[in-house]
Amino acid sequence: MAKLQNMRGLQNFISDIRACANKEHEKTRVDKELGKIRKKFASGGNISEYDKKKYVWKLLYIFMLGYDVEFGHKQAADLIPATKYAEKQVGYMACAILLNEKDEFLRLIINSIRNDLISKNEAFQCLALGFVGNVGGQEMASLLAVDVMNLLTNGAVRAIVRKKAALCLLRLLRKAGPEADILQADTWSVKMANLLEERDPGVLLAIVTLLLGIVSRSYEGYEGLLPKLVAILDRLKKREVQPDYTYYGIASPWLQVKCLRVLQYFPITDDPALLNILLEILRKIITGTEVAKNINKNNANHAIVFEAIALALALEADTELLTASVGLLGKFISVREPNIKYLGLENMVRLAEVPAVNDAIVRHQKSIVASLKDTDVSIRRRALDLLFTMCNRNNARDIIHELLEYLEIADFSLREELVLKTAVLAERFFPDLHWYVDVMLTLIDRAGEFASKDIWHSTVQIISNNEDLHEYGARKVYEALQRGSVHEALVCTAGYVLGDYGNTMKGVPPSELFALLQERFPSMPPHAKGILLSAYLKLCLMAPQDIQLKEQVMEVLSRYARFMDADLQQRAVEYMGLVMHPDVAKRNVASKPPWEKRGSLLLRRLMHRAGGEEPDEQEHKPVWMQDENGDAVESPTAVQFAPPQAVPTSPSANGHADDDLLGEEAAANGDLPPASIPQPVDPLADLYGLQTGPAPAQALPAGPADPFSVSGDPYALTGGQSGADLRPSGDTEEWFRRLCASSNGVLYEDSCLQIGVRSEGFRGPSGQLLLFFGNKADAFLERLLCVVPPTPQFQFQLGAVPARLEPKKQIQVPLMVACVSTFLDAPRLQISYTLASGQQCNQSLRLPLTVNKFCRAPENAIPADMFFTRWRTLAGPPQKVGERITRTLQLSKPAVEKLILDMGLGPQPGLDPSPDNLVAAATFCFAPPGQQPQQVACMVRIEIERTRRLEAQVTVATPDVNVTASLKNLLVQLITKL
């Protein structure tokens, strides 16, 4: 570098910066110096080369301190054509740091760079090559590549210049793009062959690095370089290098790694003598490597070994060499050093794809399983990949057993992949169908929410298509429910299996099966409830003489015949008709169709998750779809049994058709559809109870009886004759979420109407909402109608709403609310108005009356013994439920704590042993009519994943099922969008 000690001004400036007491003083001093430099540069030709060099050094120092330097670029570029090394050096350095490859200033200095490249001054050549190697772009590649090539192939220049030229040419090759053929193989391969004869290991390393960049694009035309590369490796193994290039007794390990890496891009050579020499070199590397005490020597040896193993795989080496590789990698995965263990597992995964060495890998199965419990998640992931790859028919039982055991302690980030791979292995290698059912049901039970739909679909299908599994599968599902399993996937599996084959179990009446399923019913999502409703109908048809079971099923169906979800409502209405008319059910219910031949859903899901291509169907065909020779066979037909299975006659109306995997459809044989079957008279048949007299149930429509809804969808935002200009101007769901944790905000807004909400006086089971209706239009809003449909869980008293709303005016309407029972969903507000043009807008909005609005935080901290006593009392679902949250942005504890406070819950610091977790408590209040107010103790725990902070687990425990489900769902929604 140029001598800086003579630049007194630069030294003084650096001393001033170091003497600054704080950041403000430093910024003041920097701004003062920038102003001085700017003034000097603006003076034009009055500045000397020395001052220009000094000021550019100052600008570089200021830039390195983190301040923006927006001027001085031209002055730095003007220093490059200088004749003195000191000025040229600072010019190149400043341009390399302050400019990028697309900067316009670079065009001003390309000629100066070329002049330095073709000059006889090697120092100038090195400066130019270093600059182009760091900043050169596509334009420089087209203009300077030839000059750089000439320097590389010129044997008269010094080694340092040729090394820089090789690396500079590699940069230009990468920036030129694949379409630019700056290195033509027919001429450049000959030059590369001559360059590989170089005896200087430093120059040779740079040349091989350039060759690696070339063949990584295409090796065609460079096949003649193979003998040169093998000769270099042979010479290095004989240690025929200068002592300066020997690292801990290893001859230039970096050059060995590069040569081995380049050879992997070439196809297997046709020259047997050359191939034997290469294999012998690999054998010496793999079998002659020993673990040393010096960590630096170990790192160099390991780098060479890993590349040698990769090359042996590419060359399809003999089994003996690959087996020796497995033995060496087995030592690596047994050490404590995490980097070596990771690389050992990663390379053994590649070897596991070679069937000939599978037995050798199995010998290290114990060490591989132990790596599943390593503290490093990347090592655990590689161990899982290796177990998945090495699994075969002989060790499948042991590996799957280990994976099921590990599933209980696996962290969140690994469970989804672990569950999917375990299911694929069980599907591919199960020894018998009974074992497969046991494994899959255990997997579904332990996986919980991580069990995808494809997993339990496959389990149901294999049970359905094998008659000898009907009773066995139903018995296993029944036992799992008795143990207390409540996860959605297992409940859905139980709904299908017990609904179809529950009658095959001797000594277990359908009423007992109904009781087990009904315990889980309240906490299930809508699509799972639809499956359970179908199961209830089937259980009822299995025992037509069980009057009590029939009454219990009819009670559930009648309740959901008035439910807001259109699919559940339609199912309930149709099933009520089938229960009341079993003779009609027998004529209208069809048996399950046979399971059609298909590929593995689980394998397709695994490949899609990994971002890979479609799997080979013949190679990965599920076991039950292969004969003894491995050929595909036709799928067995579904087994029929009496009584026939009842299903809805129409597809799901709410998007749950995907879960009807067994193809349950009613036959279109001319009989009356279930929806038209006469129903018992129900005084509450109208959805919102707005009718004054009893109405026959057959008049109940499939959709909700909403006076404002035209489409029949209770969640539709716009109905009637509403045009595009009356659509909401924002996200209504986002407005609702904000109001859940806030006392005021916007509930709805379009181009004509705005509705605001303010919560007041919520101190227990009652409170008041103030609804603000604002007319944004220039004309009257006619026929303004506002209705809060009555629900059994609330009592409402709505203030008067005027029929007309003046333009640019706002009115206030009070809504008194009293909670009389626990609830799952927020009540809705139905509004309707008409514009002067006759255009009508109808809206159905959720009111921000969520469970937290009726909660009170404890005034004092709850003692730990009292809290944990209540927490342990609620052993599990449905009173205590949890759900995992995955986010794209990091989750901070202060943000979650603020959300908890805004919701009205009381944080309880110090109760959770982890400082990253939060514990909160509250009391939910409601007052049944004519009774004293009642309280429900609520406990919340939020666990935030420590490392990436992108996942969280929300657990809610209360004695009431509805409060637990509604509070958990609300917290999950708010934290997900936090």
Side-chain angles (χ1 to χ4, degrees), residues 424-435:
V424 170
L425 293 179
E427 180 185 76
R428 189 185 297 173
F429 299 117
F430 67 82
D432 60 79
L433 294 177
H434 292 80
W435 180 88

Side-chain angles (χ1 to χ4, degrees), residues 501-686:
Y501 314 116
N503 61 340
T504 61
M505 293 187 296
K506 297 180 181 180
V508 182
S511 58
E512 184 177 350
L513 302 179
F514 170 80
L516 289 174
L517 295 176
Q518 183 60 19
E519 289 179 6
R520 283 89 177 161
F521 188 86
S523 60
M524 290 295 108
H527 69 89
K529 288 183 177 179
I531 295 174
L532 293 183
L533 289 181
S534 301
Y536 294 168
L537 172 63
K538 298 172 185 179
L539 293 174
C540 193
L541 294 177
M542 290 178 187
Q545 307 302 324
D546 193 336
I547 305 301
Q548 184 178 2
L549 174 61
K550 182 177 180 180
E551 292 177 352
Q552 292 174 339
V553 172
M554 287 296 294
E555 180 183 358
V556 176
L557 295 177
S558 62
R559 184 166 68 250
Y560 278 85
R562 299 185 297 273
F563 197 64
M564 294 293 292
D565 189 290
D567 175 63
L568 293 179
Q569 184 188 89
Q570 182 173 352
R571 284 175 182 257
V573 171
E574 294 176 353
Y575 292 172
M576 288 174 64
L578 293 173
V579 172
M580 296 299 296
H581 299 81
D583 54 336
V584 177
K586 292 180 180 179
R587 297 196 306 269
N588 283 272
V589 175
S591 302
K592 296 184 301 295
W595 171 40
E596 61 181 11
K597 182 173 66 175
R598 60 154 177 82
S600 171
L601 293 177
L602 297 177
L603 186 61
R604 289 182 183 274
R605 183 179 181 89
L606 179 63
M607 296 298 292
H608 176 72
R609 186 181 187 277
E613 300 177 353
E614 287 294 319
D616 186 346
E617 293 296 340
Q618 296 301 324
E619 179 182 357
H620 301 290
K621 191 75 70 174
V623 175
W624 62 82
M625 295 182 64
Q626 300 178 1
D627 58 16
E628 295 180 355
N629 299 322
D631 299 325
V633 297
E634 294 298 325
S635 303
T637 57
V639 181
Q640 301 182 5
F641 66 96
Q645 306 305 300
V647 294
T649 61
S650 60
S652 171
N654 202 23
H656 307 319
D658 292 341
D659 298 303
D660 195 9
L661 60 94
L662 300 182
E664 298 175 330
E665 296 180 355
N669 53 9
D671 294 309
L672 292 175
S676 63
I677 299 173
Q679 302 290 317
V681 175
D682 186 355
L684 299 177
D686 181 67

Side-chain angles (χ1 to χ4, degrees), residues 616-832:
D616 186 346
E617 293 296 340
Q618 296 301 324
E619 179 182 357
H620 301 290
K621 191 75 70 174
V623 175
W624 62 82
M625 295 182 64
Q626 300 178 1
D627 58 16
E628 295 180 355
N629 299 322
D631 299 325
V633 297
E634 294 298 325
S635 303
T637 57
V639 181
Q640 301 182 5
F641 66 96
Q645 306 305 300
V647 294
T649 61
S650 60
S652 171
N654 202 23
H656 307 319
D658 292 341
D659 298 303
D660 195 9
L661 60 94
L662 300 182
E664 298 175 330
E665 296 180 355
N669 53 9
D671 294 309
L672 292 175
S676 63
I677 299 173
Q679 302 290 317
V681 175
D682 186 355
L684 299 177
D686 181 67
L687 179 62
Y688 298 123
L690 299 178
Q691 297 178 356
T692 56
Q698 61 265 28
L700 184 66
D706 183 356
F708 302 106
S709 177
V710 176
S711 64
D713 182 3
Y715 300 107
L717 294 176
T718 308
Q721 305 297 323
S722 179
D725 58 331
L726 295 183
R727 294 181 182 273
S729 59
D731 188 352
T732 56
E733 289 298 320
E734 178 62 25
W735 290 334
F736 173 78
R737 283 193 295 268
R738 291 178 181 176
L739 287 170
C740 291
S742 176
S743 60
N744 58 81
V746 175
L747 180 64
Y748 173 80
E749 184 175 5
D750 58 28
S751 59
C752 298
L753 179 67
Q754 182 187 60
I755 304 176
V757 174
R758 186 169 72 217
S759 304
E760 293 182 350
F762 280 89
R763 296 292 187 270
S766 61
Q768 177 179 262
L769 292 182
L770 292 180
L771 305 177
F772 298 89
F773 294 83
N775 184 359
K776 301 168 56 179
D778 297 327
F780 281 89
L781 296 183
E782 305 285 349
R783 302 176 184 175
L784 179 61
L785 183 62
C786 178
V787 176
V788 181
T791 63
Q793 294 84 15
F794 296 94
Q795 290 181 348
F796 301 110
Q797 184 176 348
L798 182 64
V801 180
R804 301 180 69 197
L805 186 55
E806 299 179 10
K808 307 299 182 181
K809 295 292 184 180
Q810 184 184 76
I811 62 172
Q812 175 179 310
V813 179
L815 174 63
M816 303 297 295
V817 183
C819 180
V820 300
S821 175
T822 60
F823 59 93
L824 288 173
D825 299 320
R828 305 188 78 86
L829 173 69
Q830 306 285 348
I831 63 166
S832 174

Side-chain angles (χ1 to χ4, degrees), residues 52 59 109 147 155 263 270 344 353 379 384 420 456 460 527 542 555 629 654 656 664 671 711 765 792 878:
K52 186 183 296 186
L59 290 178
I109 60 175
D147 298 318
L263 288 171
D270 296 331
E353 297 177 357
I379 293 178
L384 175 61
L420 192 55
W456 66 266
V460 171
H527 69 89
M542 290 178 187
E555 180 183 358
N629 299 322
N654 202 23
H656 307 319
E664 298 175 330
D671 294 309
S711 64

